[in-house]
Amino acid sequence: MRQIENFIAGEYVAAASGRRFEKRSPVDNRVIASISEAGRPEVDAAVQAARAALHGEWGGLTTEQRVELLYGVANEITRRFEDFVEAEMADTGQPSHVMRHVFIPRGAANFKVFADVVKNVPTEAFQMATPDGAGALNYAIRVPKGVIGVICPWNAPFLLMTWKLGPALACGNTVVVKPSEETPNTAVLLGEVMNAVGVPKGVYNVVNGFGPDSAGAFLTQHPGVDAITFTGETRTGAAIMKAASEGMRDVSFELGGKNAGIVFADADFDAAVDGIFRSAFLNTGQVCLGTERVYVEWPIFERFVQALKLKAEAVKYGRPEDHAANYGPLISQEHKRKVLSYYAKAVEEGATVVTGGGVPDMPGELAEGAWVQPTIWTGLPETAAVVREEIFGPCCHIRPFDSEQEVVALANATDYGLSTTIWTTNLARAHRVAARVEVGITWINSWFLRDLRTAFGGSKQSGIGREGGVHSLEFYTETRNICVKL
């Protein structure tokens, strides 16, 4: 069983209180790690270390020197690729091919992408007239925002953590990371990489624990934290926003979603089925951008439902290291209970269960894991709980529609606004619908295709702010104007 400590000022340290908690494997429910729970003293030490680094060696580096270090971090992650794959598989239980081809490579790439952005981004300058005719010159500079509190989710922990770390560090900030209590491994492992590359101590810190009355609350309430970035559930985001209001600190939130997938009758049928299958069931449905509401035009509705059913019933369950497996467990027993409660609620509300709706028959010790079946429903009204509320599991409800106007109204009838995916060969229609759907990101004839230079974030209750490319600089830096009288 692995012993996981906090990472503060370049050292691995246990909490002075001695408090620890267990991490269980989602695959078979075995205890696989004992984790030190940071208290107020450890959070304070981490914030102080970050502040010292900000005004010390790290703060004295040039942009070029920071960029070189971040490229070194990315290269060291790649060199230790197998360690990160194994750590992430242990935490999440997801198949190795997802770790190898998506989550870990993207995690490494985040450092290089944002290093390049910072290295190449221009600032503005304006000449202005003055009454004496001599004129003046205004120019802008960008400075780090300060100590950033980074609160990470458990569904794609390394990818989503580095999505925040990359721009934060490239811009010259220092960070205190609070990973999910379910997925601490890669955050702590990254400390070894930072030390190996020579990132100054205190630039990167990790405090483990929970939310209320634990490391999460202590970090968001700490007056030494200048800004907070969070990916996770909307209600947690609201609580963090209240904490951040003390001191008027900036926030960047990517929150919940109840995303729609829209399939028109003229779509490439096989591509649409494959795309909706991925968007509903990748990572066992634990994807903020995932599709839980599917709207299919009437002429292909029955055919589409049956095709998606066959794909869902063909998933291969198995341990993450099993290369034949393409479907893993949920993150925990607690989350399994939540998802199964929605499965039961769907039936209570009158859903037709097309497939799934329960727990698969798993062999041996796997029967103790957090496994649930991929599930498809039809027949529910838009007022049903499983159509309105984010489940964050491997499930979707499919409803037919008649017209473009109707499906846009259905897609927008939600408190959330994170993403949507549209499937049609009529590109004029695709552009029309994409412009009318109230979300932060729309995919046309694809899903999860991400150019990291583009703006990313949610509308309505799905988030605040935009990150990605130069958009990240708006959160991770302060822009200062300097006016020079000539």
Side-chain angles (χ1 to χ4, degrees), residues 24 30 41 162 233 293 302 318 328 372 377 483:
R24 291 182 176 270
R30 289 182 302 111
T162 57
E233 199 266 338
R293 298 182 295 142
E302 293 295 343
V372 298
W377 304 292
C483 180

Side-chain angles (χ1 to χ4, degrees), residues 25 76 186 278 303 333:
S25 168
E76 181 68 5
T186 47
R278 286 188 68 239
R303 181 184 170 208
Q333 295 295 321

Side-chain angles (χ1 to χ4, degrees), residues 91-153:
D91 275 347
T92 67
Q94 293 303 312
S96 64
H97 71 86
V98 177
M99 301 300 131
R100 294 178 183 281
H101 299 295
V102 183
F103 290 172
I104 304 305
R106 266 282 306 276
N110 283 333
F111 289 102
K112 291 185 176 181
V113 166
F114 289 105
D116 288 340
V117 168
V118 170
K119 183 171 61 175
N120 295 303
V121 70
T123 54
E124 62 188 16
F126 298 99
Q127 291 179 305
M128 64 179 290
T130 57
D132 64 3
L137 174 68
N138 288 273
Y139 66 93
I141 61 171
R142 291 187 180 273
V143 298
K145 188 153 285 183
V147 176
I148 310 294
V150 179
I151 316 293
C152 303

Side-chain angles (χ1 to χ4, degrees), residues 278-323:
R278 286 188 68 239
S279 68
F281 303 119
L282 179 72
N283 208 39
T284 321
Q286 301 167 127
V287 179
C288 56
L289 300 162
T291 303
E292 292 188 3
R293 298 182 295 142
V294 182
Y295 300 101
V296 179
E297 200 167 10
W298 261 117
I300 63 169
F301 176 73
E302 293 295 343
R303 181 184 170 208
F304 188 92
V305 170
Q306 290 305 308
L308 193 63
K309 172 181 184 289
L310 290 175
K311 287 189 73 70
E313 291 175 347
V315 299
K316 303 294 185 184
Y317 304 92
R319 290 186 175 276
E321 61 271 18
D322 179 357
H323 294 294

Side-chain angles (χ1 to χ4, degrees), residues 84 86 95 108 129 194 220 279 322 354 363 433:
F84 280 91
E86 290 176 11
M194 296 287 179
T220 57
S279 68
D322 179 357
V354 175
V433 173

